[in-house]
Amino acid sequence: MDVRLLLISLLLGLSRAQLDGNECTKASAQSCGECIQAGEKCGWCIDKDFLKQGEQKSTRCDEIEALIKKGCSEASIENPRGTVSVNKNQSLTDRTKDGVKLKPDQITQIQPQKLTLNLRSGEAQTFNLIFKRAEDYPIDLYYLMDLSYSMKDDLENVKNLGTDLMAEMQKITSDFRIGFGSFVEKTVMPYISTTPAKLLNPCTSDQNCTSPFSYKNVLSLTSQGSQFNNLVSKQQISGNLDSPEGGFDAIMQVAVCPNQIGWRNVTRLLVFSTDAGFHFAGDGKLGGIVLPNDGKCHLQDNMYTMSHYYDYPSIAHLVQKLSENNIQTIFAVTEEFQPVYQELKNLIPKSAVGTLSSDSGNVIKLIIDAYNSLSSEIILENSRLPEGVSISYISHCKNGVSDKGENGRKCSNISIGDQVMFEVAITAKGCPSNGKSETIKIKPQGFTEEVEIVLNFICECACHKEGIPNSPVCHFGNGTLECGACRCNEGRIGRVCECSKDEVRTDDLDANCRMDNGTDICNNNGDCVCGACECKKRDNPEERYSGKFCECDNFNCDRSNNKLCGGHGRCECRKCICEANYTGSACDCSLDTSTCLASNKQICNGRGTCECGTCKCTDLKFQGPTCEICPTCPGVCTEHKDCVQCQAFGTGEKKDTCKEQCNKFILVKKKKKEELPQPNDQPYINHCKERDANDCWFFFTYATKNDSTVEVHVAEELECPSGPDIIPIVAGVVAGIVLIGLALLLIWKLLMIIHDRREFAKFEKEKMNARWDAGENPIYKSAVTTVVNPKYEGK
């Protein structure tokens, strides 16, 4: 959506969904079946009178709410919904190892076992699958071993594997079977030496080895561990030239030959033991083998006979066959090849990798650990889905842990007896081309139990079965009247199949689609089909063209506040049809007068008229939304003071003209002001308090009643000020003068004391600072005068 379109949508109040349309109207469905396949929200109106003139047949298809707004009743809307029904729902097996012995087909670990889904296009159907690991569940284990020369020491340890492994597995299940197979390599160059001597003994002359072979089923699955030991102890090592082995050929035959191997519908484990890598699809070209592996069983006398004819299988091919046959693979490989087989494990579901010691001494522990790891994880997988069908999972595992997406398929850390649940949702988009039912299956990887789900597709409405072929309503039988509309026969078109395709573009028919010679065909708002206008659809499904010549629409009416018809009406043929209490070309004029009521409950305070919900004041002194504001007017109390005074007391400025000027209200006298009406008695009332010429206060109330009469209540008792009391005034003045005098004396006395103290302190300070000479009085003069004779020489 560009900026201009977004701005237009904001101005018109339209959402993005409205501008983009919806999947129902975009489908341009011509029948109920096509409509319900367009989306889960789509419905089809079967009301014969639903379409307005000029509207296309596809207008019957829209979202349910939109159809109801257009006038189609809910009872006339075809809207089939999908369903889920359970056909087989056996209870989960709940038993202990020491309990009753059950056959494998009597054990149930997943519930329910069969369902039927009726799918409506776009509508998800959800159901729950419950899985519970049964105790003492049977196990089949097939040990597939590399017998190339490097595995010589490993073979010695495997010879006693049967009884030892049987003893360990008895701790897990009482029903355990074991089998053994071996492989080396394709029996062609350059994988082995084809010289006669090397074909007899591929090892060195001092080593006794058996002839090379691709794959050999040594022992089919058996519950006799001793038999396993006897047959394996007779096996001999063989040899080949290159390092990678032909193990994939062997794995493929083990997977696709269930009868020869003896697989039961129980837990199937394949232990693949090797100390080397593997060949895969394409490597066969080195030996001139170009035919891809066919994924079929080719065992004769327990030997794979087509290794020289078919290439090695690809990893994807192996994954498919292992999954189809519910085989869980355990790769027991040496540490050197751990990284290679770890990558292979990531590609093969329900597989594990264990590190094999150099002599396979730890193989039993490896198998037990790998089995516990595999069996503790439940992963759901489904068969190939039909076209247009999707599936999603939500897991509800132990301890309230939930997940969705790809992780919604699995739960981990599942112990025996634990129960988990998966919420499965299946959605169809449209109907398959053949319209037939489909069957899919869901199962836990590595388990033989599965859930069968039958998918039925809702491709037609219920009213389709009630269609009337060659109905006279459809222009003399040129169509089938179905779901309120005509489904035309081949070669016929039009709302009622009234026209042949050959007649669509004739000039005579086009003339019927013009209002007059000066207008466009269908006013350029539609197409002329069979001499009748079929109006175009708008991007916004709420907007429609209509009319015989598509001259009408429901979106080009007057607007108010950026809303079509002010939001108070509907647009029909470019004119607003207003709701009750609204009028005007844009339905923007309200007839409701409640917005004009003043505080005294009068419309516009009795000083204006209410137009379109707004007051227009006729008295120019008043203004405001209800004509109650008068900036230049005195208050009600001041305005009526003189009239109240002259009527109640015969005084005031208007006492001489009281009858002429003061007859606009009814006067009611009360003795005291307490008897005057209170606000609780009359909500809209003014309480007044005014002063007369004698400075006396008089009290009255002013109220306008609903009939516009004014009522004034006056208290006859006045509140006049009393004369002054001289004695207290004189006594107060004298007392004030005396007190003021005393206060002044006290202040003077206080100042004098402060001054004297300061002078005394100053004197004391000067006295302390004086410096007097005690030996000579500065003002003393001695009475003795000594005169020295200058002539006296001291003789």
Side-chain angles (χ1 to χ4, degrees), residues 646-657:
C646 76
Q647 284 201 26
F649 306 105
T651 61
E653 296 179 1
K654 295 184 178 181
K655 62 180 180 179
D656 297 329
T657 58

Side-chain angles (χ1 to χ4, degrees), residues 310-547:
Y310 289 115
D311 192 6
Y312 302 99
S314 66
I315 295 176
H317 201 179
L318 274 184
V319 170
Q320 177 190 353
K321 294 301 179 181
L322 290 172
S323 178
E324 285 179 0
N325 293 280
N326 307 304
I327 296 173
Q328 304 178 60
T329 311
I330 300 173
F331 295 105
V333 297
T334 55
E335 187 173 0
E336 178 185 356
F337 288 94
Q338 270 283 322
V340 175
Y341 283 90
Q342 280 289 350
E343 292 297 323
L344 183 61
K345 166 192 170 293
N346 295 334
L347 300 174
I348 300 178
K350 294 293 283 187
S351 62
V353 178
T355 302
L356 194 66
S357 61
S358 58
D359 60 355
S360 298
N362 67 333
V363 68
I364 292 179
K365 182 178 184 303
L366 185 153
I367 292 172
I368 298 297
D369 291 345
Y371 168 74
N372 289 331
S373 174
L374 290 172
S375 60
S376 66
E377 185 176 53
I378 305 301
I379 303 176
L380 293 186
E381 63 179 5
N382 51 266
S383 60
R384 185 175 180 180
L385 298 173
E387 184 179 358
V389 175
S390 61
I391 189 169
S392 63
Y393 299 86
I394 299 177
S395 60
H396 301 281
C397 307
K398 291 174 59 177
N399 303 321
V401 177
S402 294
D403 213 334
K404 56 185 178 180
E406 281 302 309
N407 291 329
R409 293 174 174 264
K410 61 185 179 182
C411 283
S412 302
N413 301 320
I414 306 302
S415 304
I416 293 175
D418 286 344
Q419 181 172 300
V420 294
M421 186 180 75
F422 297 89
E423 186 178 330
V424 185
I426 298 180
T427 308
K429 186 63 177 176
C431 283
S433 56
N434 57 15
K436 295 181 180 179
S437 298
E438 300 278 357
T439 300
I440 64 172
K441 294 181 179 179
I442 299 177
K443 67 175 184 179
Q445 288 181 359
F447 292 84
T448 57
E449 295 178 69
E450 59 188 15
V451 179
E452 181 180 343
I453 303 169
V454 179
L455 305 180
N456 296 324
F457 300 92
I458 303 175
C459 300
E460 289 290 352
C461 302
C463 58
H464 170 71
K465 299 177 181 178
E466 303 171 0
I468 305 174
N470 303 318
S471 171
V473 177
C474 300
H475 199 263
F476 305 107
N478 284 318
T480 300
L481 183 60
E482 178 186 300
C483 302
C486 286
R487 179 178 282 188
C488 299
N489 296 337
E490 186 67 27
R492 304 294 298 187
I493 57 175
R495 274 174 59 172
V496 289
C497 312
E498 69 274 18
C499 192
S500 169
K501 287 184 178 179
D502 299 332
E503 304 171 351
V504 172
R505 299 203 175 272
T506 63
D507 293 337
D508 292 339
L509 292 176
D510 286 349
N512 294 329
C513 297
R514 300 177 188 269
M515 292 182 68
D516 52 57
N517 291 333
T519 59
D520 293 327
I521 294 176
C522 301
N523 285 284
N524 207 27
N525 294 326
D527 299 316
C528 186
V529 180
C530 297
C533 286
E534 286 194 358
C535 302
K536 294 178 182 178
K537 288 185 177 180
R538 300 273 296 176
D539 290 336
N540 178 6
E542 301 292 331
E543 299 177 354
R544 294 185 295 170
Y545 290 110
S546 60

Side-chain angles (χ1 to χ4, degrees), residues 12 69 542 553-590:
L12 301 182
K69 285 182 180 179
E542 301 292 331
D553 62 58
N554 66 344
F555 55 87
N556 273 324
C557 290
D558 290 342
R559 296 176 179 271
S560 178
N561 295 325
N562 288 330
K563 293 182 179 179
L564 192 67
C565 297
H568 302 299
R570 65 183 186 278
C571 182
E572 290 187 4
C573 204
R574 303 187 179 183
K575 290 185 179 180
C576 287
I577 307 299
C578 301
E579 298 173 357
N581 290 330
Y582 285 94
T583 186
S585 62
C587 300
D588 54 352
C589 182
S590 173

Side-chain angles (χ1 to χ4, degrees), residues 242-259:
D242 63 339
S243 176
E245 314 294 2
F248 276 16
D249 273 343
I251 293 176
M252 177 61 75
Q253 293 304 301
V254 172
V256 299
C257 298
N259 295 329

Side-chain angles (χ1 to χ4, degrees), residues 43-47 50 60-61 67 71-73 76-78 483-484:
W44 178 270
C45 184
I46 63 174
D47 186 353
F50 171 70
R60 292 181 179 274
C61 182
L67 289 175
C72 189
S73 64
S76 299
I77 297 176
E78 279 285 330
C483 302

Side-chain angles (χ1 to χ4, degrees), residues 646-687:
C646 76
Q647 284 201 26
F649 306 105
T651 61
E653 296 179 1
K654 295 184 178 181
K655 62 180 180 179
D656 297 329
T657 58
C658 192
K659 292 183 179 181
E660 294 79 13
Q661 297 184 9
C662 301
N663 55 3
K664 296 180 180 179
F665 56 82
I666 301 172
L667 185 71
V668 179
K669 294 183 179 181
K670 299 291 184 179
K671 290 292 185 182
K672 297 181 178 181
K673 66 177 181 179
E674 289 79 8
E675 298 178 7
L676 294 176
Q678 300 301 314
N680 292 334
D681 300 330
Q682 296 184 33
Y684 304 103
I685 190 171
N686 292 290
H687 282 258

